Amino acid sequence: MIAYITAWSAEQDLPCALVERPDRSIGYANELLSDRDRHGVLWRQTALRHRVGKPEFARVHPLRQRRAMELLLCQVCGGPADRNDDGVLWLQRDHSDDWPQWPEGMASVEPPVCLACIPVALRLCPALRRGAVAVRFREYPIAGVRGALYGRSVLAPAAVTAGNFAYDDPAVRRVLASALIRELRGCTVVPLVEIATRLGL
């Protein structure tokens, strides 16, 4: 099984020329309304040819990642993520050494998961095999984007750095987004043993 958000070899970036706009933001020379999200941020345009060619596990397809995050879809199968009274289920790499309250308040570009896909994700993702935690979050507001920040240049905007940008950051007007970020709050850790028991594993 190949994860829903994985990019395929036929899904390369489209040749879109970036330009300076009068309001000092960046845009495409032949921009469409669909090139921006509801916050007005420009998104990387990538061919949509799901399951054509070979899966490229190191790449995430921007549109499918954004769709999964907006609609709270499972990143593995693309169906609805698991949810109960404790919140929506996420499977995260274990970064509990990063700060005392982890994962409370974490910014994530990883979409949630459904219960049935947890064993698949653990098996397919090398990063998760090094340590994973299942967590339910009661609050998960969309907070911003991950992408490349473009500076002014003589011929056309030029990428200067990559990172995470909040929607209320003025710099986001010069970002070419490739992933949607949710801030995850109100966490309840779910032991993987408990999940395995529920799945009969």
Side-chain angles (χ1 to χ4, degrees), residues 41-73:
V41 174
L42 190 67
W43 277 76
R44 180 174 303 285
Q45 291 303 298
T46 304
L48 189 57
R49 303 188 72 197
H50 195 205
R51 302 190 184 282
V52 178
K54 296 181 179 179
E56 297 186 350
F57 296 103
R59 290 178 52 231
V60 170
H61 193 279
L63 180 62
R64 287 196 295 278
Q65 186 274 353
R66 179 176 151 196
R67 182 175 185 269
M69 285 295 256
E70 285 178 339
L71 302 177
L72 296 173
L73 302 178

Side-chain angles (χ1 to χ4, degrees), residues 12-97:
Q12 300 302 314
D13 288 345
L14 299 175
C16 299
L18 283 175
V19 297
E20 295 284 346
R21 294 176 16 139
D23 65 358
R24 297 189 177 178
S25 66
I26 59 168
Y28 289 131
N30 298 304
E31 193 171 308
L32 304 172
L33 284 175
S34 58
D35 291 333
R36 293 182 182 272
D37 63 23
R38 62 184 175 174
H39 298 276
V41 174
L42 190 67
W43 277 76
R44 180 174 303 285
Q45 291 303 298
T46 304
L48 189 57
R49 303 188 72 197
H50 195 205
R51 302 190 184 282
V52 178
K54 296 181 179 179
E56 297 186 350
F57 296 103
R59 290 178 52 231
V60 170
H61 193 279
L63 180 62
R64 287 196 295 278
Q65 186 274 353
R66 179 176 151 196
R67 182 175 185 269
M69 285 295 256
E70 285 178 339
L71 302 177
L72 296 173
L73 302 178
C74 175
Q75 63 172 288
V76 179
C77 69
D82 193 76
R83 124 179 14 224
N84 66 18
D85 291 343
D86 288 328
V88 176
L89 184 65
W90 259 266
L91 187 62
Q92 299 287 336
R93 286 177 53 197
D94 188 349
H95 290 290
S96 53
D97 292 336

